[in-house]
Amino acid sequence: MILGIGSDLANIERIEGTLARFGDRFRERVFTPEEQRKSESRTGLVAATYAKRWAAKEACSKALGTGLSMGISWKDMAVTNMRSGQPQMQLTGWAAARLAEMTPQGYEAVVHVTLTDDHPWAQAFVVIEARLKP
């Protein structure tokens, strides 16, 4: 069963401008160290990589039914990548607590995320699914 769906569209040039203007202050406030390492390693695609992760966090907060309110932190939602490169959402803190709260008893939550970009846009979709526990 679907528990939540969220999407977001981010402007890569806006994120690039924010990075230029606020630098580490912005990076440290919004992105985990792993997200920063991944983004900074993408020569020529740094802003696009950050923008996709920004969009994923926005989309995830919408799928959780909260938006960026109610105590959720940007870093409570992190995009990591499997060895295959497939993105995945890691939830901690308040986001993880919210996910547990919205998951029916006897089910486990699975968070699906997909990212894409086509300059100047970065887009993310997040679907939260509840599956019967085995």
Side-chain angles (χ1 to χ4, degrees):
M1 99 181 55
I2 303 297
L3 298 178
I5 299 172
S7 68
D8 194 66
L9 189 64
N11 185 287
I12 295 168
E13 293 169 357
R14 179 175 160 251
I15 297 297
E16 187 172 40
T18 302
L19 287 164
R21 199 161 110 201
F22 297 106
D24 287 341
R25 194 168 113 204
F26 173 64
R27 285 181 193 90
E28 293 295 323
R29 185 173 146 253
V30 176
F31 302 100
T32 65
E34 185 175 347
E35 289 175 307
Q36 291 177 50
R37 276 191 300 279
K38 176 72 173 182
S39 298
E40 296 295 328
S41 74
R42 305 286 314 271
T43 306
L45 299 170
V46 172
T49 305
Y50 276 120
K52 285 186 283 190
R53 279 152 176 72
W54 171 278
K57 291 168 186 271
E58 288 275 6
C60 187
S61 71
K62 293 170 186 173
L64 289 168
T66 64
L68 285 162
S69 65
M70 298 173 59
I72 201 166
S73 165
W74 287 103
K75 290 184 180 181
D76 285 348
M77 303 165 290
V79 177
T80 60
N81 294 87
M82 296 177 176
R83 284 189 174 173
S84 65
Q86 179 182 347
Q88 57 186 1
M89 292 298 302
Q90 301 292 323
L91 304 184
T92 59
W94 193 93
R98 171 69 181 144
L99 181 63
E101 175 186 298
M102 64 190 286
T103 304
Q105 197 164 10
Y107 287 80
E108 61 186 3
V110 180
V111 181
H112 304 276
V113 62
T114 186
L115 310 172
T116 191
D117 67 281
D118 187 8
H119 194 85
W121 300 106
Q123 186 175 37
F125 287 97
V126 172
V127 176
I128 300 174
E129 172 190 13
R131 292 183 187 162
L132 276 173
K133 287 183 180 178

